[in-house]
């Protein structure tokens, strides 16, 4: 179905046919815009930005590009096309027709899944709101805003489900999504990672690479859902999400490239010398990766989880790429996870597979993270530099699950708490490291010009030149 742009709220869900729902969403819309003006990107409300807008859910040509002021962005509601005769693909209801309405017995669980996902979308916009003040180029500024407006649209996607399928409490939850704020002492966002400010571009690139990728995996799992409107919503969100991770992967790649260029110029790989020359040394890139990778892994939840088992059993949330598995019931199967004993030793235990779904998803995520790491390592190798980026062990710096409360090195070796305290800044950014990175962050807004700590991208957006004026201030 084509998207109706004549509507106040662009949509492909026949909103005009449902006046009550349409009115409820039109009532929410100005509140969303108030939120965007108050909590969205600072300083750039009047700027023209070269943005991509979803115009159809057709895989071949789903977006159009053009200059838009962000508050005029056409945030809309788009569901991927319905798959005819779609059946539930896993769990106890395997093979039954998918649900077009919320089954009463799963109402509370589904609402919780949707609210938790929905809460992360505006949270990230809030976390990133000051980044425009220190953008390394207009190209990067535009990418930041593209990510931001699409996270705003993902909020719309979840709010639509709440309004359309959950009645009064759904509408209240939709209000709550605009009332909680990242880092707010009294009304924080639901997940702790989404309350940490992202106030430098290294953190932004790590966030889009690692945290948005967690988002990708959550969406993949929800795209498997037996609740069909949720599945269709998430399938379309995944199309947009790919660009966010592209921003992270190429962003970190360009930081690495610039470090290598500087090392060549100054004929030294001494991190202090690289810093004096205004670039971010490779060991510091590794520290940022250690920090963000470990915090993103926590988003998958506990290693053993009855919630995850129930979501799977009930057909609410499957495994990422459920089709790739042979056994969709996972009824008697077991899965090996680790357990940390009182004395700190680690033992492998077998638990029911359904209870281990968080780990199954997390490990698929780790593999996906490693693809970009290998690409970065190829850049480093090509420059003839002997340095390898590595993802830390899944045990490293965890605050959720079996490893929480225990200390490990990035290689996964158990250490005492005092050793962690003494050595942690060998592995994650120290206050000095962060201050150094912050010191590099100055706004560069001349078309085509890049800050000294980052290499230009290989190509521009949508076949435009790198020096195109992507944001007109
Ligand atoms: Fe998103
Ligand atoms: Fe995203």
């Amino acid at each position: 179905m084509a998207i109706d742009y004549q509507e106040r709220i662009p949509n492909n869900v026949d909103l005009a046919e449902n006046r009550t729902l349409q009115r409820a969403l039109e009532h929410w819309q100005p509140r969303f815009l108030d939120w965007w003006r108050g909590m969205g990107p600072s300083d750039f409300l009047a700027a023209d930005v070269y943005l991509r807008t979803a115009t159809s859910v057709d895989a071949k040509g789903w977006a159009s590009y053009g200059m838009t002021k962000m508050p005029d962005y056409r945030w809309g509601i788009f569901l991927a096309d319905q798959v005819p005769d779609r059946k539930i693909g896993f769990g106890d209801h395997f093979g039954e027709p998918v649900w077009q309405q919320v089954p009463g017995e799963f109402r509370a669980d589904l609402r919780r899944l949707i609210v938790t996902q929905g809460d992360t979308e505006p949270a990230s916009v809030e976390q990133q709101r000051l980044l425009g003040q220190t953008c390394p180029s207009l190209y990067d500024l535009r990418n930041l805003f593209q990510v931001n407006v699409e996270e705003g649209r993902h909020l719309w996607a979840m709010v639509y489900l709440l309004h359309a399928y959950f009645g009064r409490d759904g509408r209240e939850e939709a209000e709550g999504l605009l009332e909680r704020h990242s880092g707010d002492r009294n009304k924080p966002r639901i997940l702790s990672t989404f309350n940490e400010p992202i106030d430098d571009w290294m953190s932004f690139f790590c966030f889009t690479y690692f945290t948005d990728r967690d988002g990708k995996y959550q969406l993949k799992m929800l795209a498997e859902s037996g609740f069909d409107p949720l599945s269709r919503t998430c399938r379309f969100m995944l199309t947009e999400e790919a660009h966010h991770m592209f921003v992270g992967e190429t962003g970190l790649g360009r930081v690495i490239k610039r470090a290598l260029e500087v090392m060549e110029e100054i004929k030294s790989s001494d991190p202090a010398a690289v810093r004096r020359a205004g670039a971010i040394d490779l060991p510091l890139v590794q520290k940022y990766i250690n920090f963000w990778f470990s915090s993103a892994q926590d988003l998958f939840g506990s290693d053993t989880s009855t919630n995850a088992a129930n979501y799977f059993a009930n057909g609410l949330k499957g495994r990422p790429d459920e089709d790739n598995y042979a056994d969709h019931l996972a009824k008697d199967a077991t899965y090996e996870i680790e357990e940390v004993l009182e004395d700190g030793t680690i033992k492998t235990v077998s638990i029911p597979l359904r209870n281990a779904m968080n780990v199954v998803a997390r490990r698929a995520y780790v593999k996906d993270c490693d693809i970009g790491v290998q690409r970065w390592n190829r850049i480093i190798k090509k420059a003839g530099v002997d340095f390898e980026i590595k993802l830390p062990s899944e045990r490293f710096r965890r605050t959720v699950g079996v490893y929480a409360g225990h200390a490990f090195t990035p290689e996964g070796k158990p250490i005492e708490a005092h050793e962690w305290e003494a050595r942690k800044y060998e592995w994650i950014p120290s206050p000095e490291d962060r201050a150094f990175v912050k010191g590099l962050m100055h706004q560069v807004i001349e078309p085509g010009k890049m800050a000294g700590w980052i290499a230009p991208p290989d190509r521009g957006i949508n076949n435009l030149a790198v020096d195109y004026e992507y944001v007109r201030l």
Side-chain angles (χ1 to χ4, degrees), residues 206-214 289 292-293 296 365 369 391:
C206 287
F207 183 94
T208 43
Y209 190 78
F210 292 108
T211 316
D212 274 295
R213 191 177 310 275
D214 161 73
I289 288 172
W292 285 95
F293 174 74
Y365 162 84
C369 284
L391 294 177

Side-chain angles (χ1 to χ4, degrees), residues 13 15 33 52 81 86 90 142 159 208 234 257-258 262 267 309 338 375 408 430 453:
V13 295
L15 201 54
L33 287 169
R52 161 177 99 173
D81 289 336
R86 182 171 168 251
F90 60 93
R142 176 267 167 202
V159 163
T208 43
C234 291
K257 206 169 150 197
R258 184 62 195 140
V262 165
K267 302 281 175 234
E338 290 185 330
R375 283 198 197 115
F408 298 93
S430 68
W453 54 271

